[in-house]
Amino acid sequence: MTLFARYDGELMRSPPATEPGSKRLGPLDAAQQRAWAALESWCRAGVGDGRSPFWRPRQLPDVPERFSLAAMVGGNSAGRSHLAETFALHLDRNDELAALSADSRLKGWCLKLAVKWHELWWWRKRHPRQPWDCGYLLEHPAAMARLAHFRPRRPTLIIADELRDGSLEQVLQALGTAKADFRHPVRLLVIDAALPGMLELRFDTDAQRWHTPVHDLGQVSVIALSGTQMADNGERSPPP
């Protein structure tokens, strides 16, 4: 049930908490600002309105893209980590919760209760500022085994930070197979220095889209933190 659903801490590690009363800095430069906008567009695309019929609460909502994949590459490790953490805190509203709680514990609790309250009404549209569940995928056998049974309690961003190719393949297979049963959209963000070779990415010049044949996942969003576009062979090329 939505009321009692909890964050799956055995599958994901939540982003580092902010200090009470503090607010993490957003994108630091022009390249990060462009990457941030691309992340926002990718996450929000195809999420649907989250509604199920009033008389059929167990029916899955219409979610055009239940699962999608993006790769954020380039730049340096610190820049990638900063942007991923800050974007996750933006989606899950934990920065806002920390600021409210620092001002008043009551305000923090009111935000939590308001989130749960809106999630109870399955026949209404998803609240435009509904927090997402965000976290870093744990790369150990127990977490990998849980993937096949993962069902999101709300829109979810999973961050795969420099996973080994074998682990990434296992993740993609599990999520790609389970996605038909997802009630909420799930987004997998792969961050690394370069495009993972196991994705076998190819660029469609006509559609200006990246695609992967791996597990029939299809379109992949590629976000380059270096401010350059990625050529079809995975190398960097100047933007047009």
Side-chain angles (χ1 to χ4, degrees):
M1 291 179 62
T2 298
L3 183 62
F4 300 106
R6 294 290 182 268
Y7 182 90
D8 193 345
E10 296 182 47
L11 178 67
M12 299 184 292
R13 170 180 58 83
S14 59
T18 53
E19 292 295 324
S22 66
K23 188 172 181 63
R24 194 166 300 220
L25 293 175
L28 299 178
D29 55 32
Q32 286 204 347
Q33 290 170 13
R34 288 191 295 270
W36 182 284
L39 285 170
E40 188 82 49
S41 176
W42 163 66
C43 277
R44 305 289 184 186
V47 299
D49 60 17
R51 293 191 298 179
S52 295
F54 178 79
W55 56 92
R56 297 184 64 186
R58 294 185 180 276
Q59 179 175 314
L60 293 179
D62 181 19
V63 180
E65 291 189 39
R66 298 189 187 277
F67 174 72
S68 66
L69 172 67
M72 185 168 71
V73 297
N76 56 53
S77 179
R80 292 192 301 271
S81 295
H82 166 83
L83 194 62
E85 288 178 8
T86 310
F87 185 73
L89 288 166
H90 156 71
L91 281 183
D92 66 20
R93 295 180 67 183
N94 271 343
D95 266 359
E96 181 181 351
L97 178 61
L100 288 173
S101 298
D103 186 37
S104 162
R105 292 185 65 183
L106 178 59
K107 290 182 180 179
W109 275 106
C110 284
L111 176 59
K112 290 181 178 181
L113 290 173
V115 168
K116 281 294 185 182
W117 178 256
H118 284 292
E119 290 178 343
L120 288 175
W121 312 116
W122 66 86
W123 65 91
R124 294 182 176 178
K125 289 184 178 180
R126 182 184 298 112
H127 191 278
R129 298 197 62 227
Q130 179 187 22
W132 287 46
D133 277 339
C134 302
Y136 290 82
L137 187 67
L138 299 174
E139 192 178 8
H140 58 66
M144 294 290 109
R146 291 181 68 86
L147 275 170
H149 309 287
F150 172 68
R151 297 296 181 271
R153 65 169 181 164
R154 59 177 58 143
T156 301
L157 172 66
I158 301 174
I159 301 171
D161 191 359
E162 299 186 4
L163 291 191
R164 293 168 294 181
D165 277 1
S167 296
L168 181 56
E169 169 129 19
Q170 187 176 350
V171 170
L172 293 174
Q173 181 175 12
L175 294 178
T177 300
K179 66 182 180 181
D181 296 321
F182 289 169
R183 175 167 287 272
H184 305 283
V186 173
R187 304 293 180 251
L188 178 67
L189 176 62
V190 176
I191 57 177
D192 213 327
L195 294 173
M198 60 81 51
L199 290 177
E200 302 177 19
L201 288 171
R202 294 292 179 267
F203 189 70
D204 183 335
T205 53
D206 293 330
Q208 292 292 297
R209 302 288 186 185
W210 289 89
H211 293 269
T212 177
V214 177
H215 304 301
D216 296 321
L217 292 175
Q219 185 176 315
V220 178
S221 294
V222 174
I223 301 164
L225 264 180
S226 60
T228 62
Q229 293 183 335
M230 305 298 292
D232 189 37
N233 58 5
E235 297 176 352
R236 298 175 190 173
S237 60

